[in-house]
Amino acid sequence: MRTFKLTLAYDGTNYCGWQIQTSQVTLQETLERTLTKITGEEIRVAASGRTDAGVHAWGQVVSFASQTHLEPPVLHKALNAELPLDMVVRSVAEVDADFHARRSAKRKRYRYVIDDGPERNVFELRYAWQCPVRLDAQAMHLAAQPLVGQHDFSSFETSGSQRETSVRTVFELTVERGQGGDRVTVEIEADGFLYNMVRTIVGTLVEVGRGARTADWPAHVLEARDRKAAGKTAPPQGLFLVGVIYE
Amino acid sequence: MRTFKLTLAYDGTNYCGWQIQTSQVTLQETLERTLTKITGEEIRVAASGRTDAGVHAWGQVVSFASQTHLEPPVLHKALNAELPLDMVVRSVAEVDADFHARRSAKRKRYRYVIDDGPERNVFELRYAWQCPVRLDAQAMHLAAQPLVGQHDFSSFETSGSQRETSVRTVFELTVERGQGGDRVTVEIEADGFLYNMVRTIVGTLVEVGRGARTADWPAHVLEARDRKAAGKTAPPQGLFLVGVIYE
């Protein structure tokens, strides 16, 4: 048995998220079907984490075991020839047998893109949250800083999920207005994320950005440890899994 | 009667081009239907020019006559509320009765985007030509410069079109590699364009960029005044009508 690590980019628009579901097309199912076609084996993959319907990835990481004799560059070419156009393998490597895309991950980085131009941007409908109100990106950045560090993020977790702990460490959280002028980008790197954590943090920061809440509000939301204290969950299409960091 | 000028952006992916055709959804038909709904009149619009299926616009300009009492800002809001999400009005103005979006146009500017990264860019499938070979953008730029000026561009016109003259003046033609590193952008401004002229120029310059032809080839193609001398027509999804310049 050999173990492989794939780095994958995808446009999540046309998929019902990462994880296999009955009777709906998912990214995992599409990748596994393609790997089975190429290797002739029944392959099951492990991803660094699931992404929801409509969420994109630039650097999703996947691991799987296979008895294939194909070398990584051959596997790489074959995958990109067989995968649908909206999925692409960026790299393939053979790794130690103990590598696991989710369990070995040390940090993950997400980006959330908001377009707050005066009219909707027709070229960003699938890749940004179209926000009709001009945002104060600097106020959002300052308001976000109390979330950096090790905290209980249960205020930013969609209820119903079952985790041993809702304590996570955020290493970096920045909000910046991009060159174009109408684009606000939130970047967040952490040792792990609760369900909908990035989208709920973004929904909360946007309340500050549009002036509905003061800059100290996100810190109070964090302290409340109650999902009802936070803002709305931002829509999926602005969210990108940028990359996963391993040791 | 009042005359209005609209500036329009659209993602052309889901339309069979600009011009009205029987039994296919076009941009013109969609805009006219929306204007009729808002004004209660049968409205016919004139565009600066047609765009083909899959071609996009950032600054298409349209004129039309109407008896509506609605003021431009009201019309602007109503249009963006009623148009499909992949079309957006960027500005509305009332203009002199002799303004005509096509006949009054002095210059038009197009951009063509090529992605030549090592793998396809899943987020640019609808907005760039995915070129599997690394291009020499500087060689393309130099090779393009003999096309600047007043010339007979019949080598770059898809045959079958009927024009009085195929002489046009190109004011600017640049080829640049963008910041990202994997993006080559061709920009061209002229007093008018023949059918498929931008896409045929791009298809010809790419032959130089990938090393299949030398840098003096596009000048020879121009001199030949024969479509068969030129390169292939580049695919539509990389093409954007950037804007139209009036007096």
Side-chain angles (χ1 to χ4, degrees):
Chain A
M1 268 304 196
R2 301 164 77 189
T3 303
F4 292 91
K5 175 190 177 192
L6 304 184
T7 309
L8 198 68
Y10 48 80
D11 177 337
T13 308
N14 297 327
Y15 297 91
C16 294
W18 177 264
Q19 201 180 27
I20 287 186
Q21 298 173 19
T22 36
S23 81
Q24 298 203 286
V25 180
T26 66
L27 291 149
Q28 183 186 355
E29 176 200 347
T30 305
L31 178 61
E32 289 181 350
R33 204 174 347 102
T34 306
L35 280 166
T36 294
K37 184 173 175 187
I38 292 168
T39 62
E41 303 165 70
E42 190 100 353
I43 304 262
R44 292 297 296 220
V45 302
S48 72
R50 305 164 194 174
T51 52
D52 282 326
V55 173
H56 315 291
W58 174 244
Q60 172 69 289
V61 175
V62 160
S63 57
F64 64 93
S66 165
Q67 294 183 307
T68 183
H69 295 291
L70 297 173
E71 287 310 307
V74 177
L75 204 51
H76 190 169
K77 270 210 168 142
L79 277 163
N80 284 341
E82 295 287 346
L83 282 170
L85 287 176
D86 55 6
M87 293 179 74
V88 69
V89 172
R90 293 177 47 217
S91 70
V92 180
E94 189 173 354
V95 289
D96 289 342
D98 60 357
F99 178 84
H100 185 277
R102 180 171 50 76
R103 289 195 297 267
S104 308
K106 295 291 178 224
R107 298 182 177 196
K108 283 159 75 178
R109 191 174 183 92
Y110 279 96
R111 178 177 301 151
Y112 195 97
V113 179
I114 304 166
D115 189 301
D116 66 347
E119 307 293 355
R120 60 182 174 261
N121 183 333
V122 296
F123 306 113
E124 294 282 352
L125 294 176
R126 295 148 62 113
Y127 309 120
W129 181 12
Q130 306 286 321
C131 180
V133 182
R134 197 72 174 175
L135 301 173
D136 182 342
Q138 209 179 354
M140 290 167 70
H141 179 77
L142 292 175
Q145 296 319 301
L147 275 53
V148 176
Q150 189 179 63
H151 303 287
D152 180 337
F153 283 95
S154 44
S155 290
F156 300 101
E157 176 174 29
T158 294
S159 49
S161 41
Q162 304 227 330
R163 301 259 185 183
E164 279 176 33
T165 168
S166 42
V167 174
R168 294 292 183 275
T169 300
V170 170
F171 299 105
E172 199 187 345
L173 175 47
T174 60
V175 184
E176 275 186 349
R177 184 171 292 282
Q179 310 110 313
D182 291 339
R183 174 184 273 241
V184 173
T185 303
V186 181
E187 289 233 7
I188 180 164
E189 191 170 305
D191 61 354
F193 291 88
L194 305 172
Y195 185 52
N196 276 343
M197 178 168 150
V198 180
R199 289 165 58 188
T200 312
I201 288 175
V202 169
T204 301
L205 295 177
V206 160
E207 291 300 296
V208 174
R210 68 187 187 92
R213 296 282 190 166
T214 54
D216 57 352
W217 184 59
H220 292 312
V221 170
L222 178 69
E223 283 161 27
R225 300 183 191 186
D226 176 5
R227 175 63 186 85
K228 289 191 284 294
K232 283 183 198 160
T233 305
Q237 74 272 15
L239 187 59
F240 294 75
L241 172 56
V242 176
V244 188
I245 298 155
Y246 296 90
E247 212 46 44
Chain B
M1 267 305 194
R2 302 163 76 187
T3 303
F4 293 92
K5 175 190 177 193
L6 304 184
T7 308
L8 200 67
Y10 48 80
D11 176 338
T13 309
N14 296 327
Y15 297 89
C16 293
W18 177 263
Q19 200 179 30
I20 287 188
Q21 297 174 20
T22 37
S23 80
Q24 298 203 286
V25 180
T26 66
L27 291 149
Q28 183 185 353
E29 177 200 346
T30 306
L31 178 61
E32 291 182 350
R33 205 175 345 104
T34 306
L35 281 167
T36 295
K37 184 173 175 188
I38 292 169
T39 62
E41 303 164 71
E42 191 102 350
I43 304 263
R44 292 296 295 219
V45 303
S48 73
R50 304 165 195 174
T51 52
D52 282 325
V55 174
H56 315 290
W58 174 243
Q60 172 70 289
V61 176
V62 161
S63 57
F64 64 92
S66 166
Q67 296 183 305
T68 183
H69 295 291
L70 297 174
E71 287 310 307
V74 177
L75 204 52
H76 190 167
K77 268 209 168 145
L79 278 162
N80 284 340
E82 295 287 345
L83 283 169
L85 287 177
D86 54 7
M87 294 178 74
V88 70
V89 172
R90 291 176 49 220
S91 69
V92 180
E94 189 172 354
V95 289
D96 289 341
D98 61 355
F99 178 83
H100 186 278
R102 180 172 48 77
R103 289 196 297 268
S104 307
K106 296 292 175 223
R107 298 182 176 194
K108 282 159 76 177
R109 191 174 182 90
Y110 279 96
R111 179 177 300 150
Y112 195 96
V113 179
I114 304 165
D115 189 302
D116 68 345
E119 307 294 355
R120 60 181 174 262
N121 182 336
V122 295
F123 306 112
E124 294 281 351
L125 295 176
R126 296 148 62 112
Y127 310 119
W129 180 13
Q130 305 286 320
C131 181
V133 184
R134 196 72 175 174
L135 301 173
D136 182 341
Q138 210 178 354
M140 290 168 70
H141 179 78
L142 293 173
Q145 296 319 302
L147 275 55
V148 176
Q150 189 179 64
H151 304 287
D152 179 337
F153 282 95
S154 44
S155 289
F156 300 100
E157 176 174 29
T158 295
S159 49
S161 39
Q162 304 226 331
R163 300 260 186 182
E164 281 176 33
T165 169
S166 43
V167 174
R168 295 290 183 275
T169 300
V170 169
F171 300 104
E172 199 187 345
L173 176 47
T174 60
V175 184
E176 277 186 347
R177 183 171 292 282
Q179 310 110 313
D182 290 340
R183 172 183 274 241
V184 173
T185 303
V186 182
E187 289 235 4
I188 180 164
E189 191 170 304
D191 60 354
F193 290 88
L194 305 171
Y195 186 52
N196 276 345
M197 179 168 149
V198 180
R199 288 165 57 189
T200 313
I201 288 175
V202 170
T204 301
L205 295 177
V206 160
E207 291 301 294
V208 175
R210 68 187 187 90
R213 297 283 191 165
T214 54
D216 57 353
W217 184 59
H220 293 311
V221 170
L222 178 70
E223 284 160 26
R225 300 184 192 184
D226 176 3
R227 174 63 186 84
K228 289 191 283 294
K232 282 184 199 158
T233 305
Q237 72 273 15
L239 187 59
F240 294 75
L241 172 56
V242 175
V244 189
I245 297 156
Y246 296 90
E247 213 44 43

